[in-house]
Amino acid sequence: MAAFRHPANRMQPSGDEPGADVFSYVATTYRLTEHHTAGGMSRWLPYLAELQPEFFCEISPRLAAERGLEHLGWATIVTARNAIEARCW
């Protein structure tokens, strides 16, 4: 297992650090074209909100089956910093 040590990642254990087995998945983030700005312009436009109304996470079919998640169902994503609910895609 690779260890990604970085000053901004102090709360997330990795490698052989205690607690690393609790968070055994890697997540990445990105922006949508519909919300390409910081939100100052796009969050107040109803037609853009309709394009992407909910927070979502993309999950492979294999991982979804392993974790018991359903397409368009809800997942709770938990990290050392916080937890959030997202629609599964």
Side-chain angles (χ1 to χ4, degrees), residues 33-73:
T33 303
E34 294 85 4
H35 296 280
H36 68 279
T37 65
M41 294 167 50
S42 63
R43 79 169 56 99
W44 305 112
L45 301 175
Y47 57 89
L48 288 179
E50 289 176 10
L51 290 173
Q52 189 54 56
E54 301 168 322
F55 185 74
F56 69 92
C57 58
E58 293 181 304
I59 303 171
S60 71
R62 183 178 170 191
L63 179 57
E66 180 183 318
R67 303 303 300 169
L69 301 171
E70 297 179 7
H71 179 66
L72 298 180

Side-chain angles (χ1 to χ4, degrees), residues 5-51:
R5 302 205 191 315
H6 189 276
N9 196 28
R10 295 185 309 256
M11 298 178 70
Q12 199 73 26
S14 62
D16 58 355
E17 296 175 336
D21 58 334
V22 174
F23 305 105
S24 54
Y25 299 100
V26 175
T28 60
T29 61
Y30 57 92
R31 287 186 181 204
L32 298 173
T33 303
E34 294 85 4
H35 296 280
H36 68 279
T37 65
M41 294 167 50
S42 63
R43 79 169 56 99
W44 305 112
L45 301 175
Y47 57 89
L48 288 179
E50 289 176 10
L51 290 173

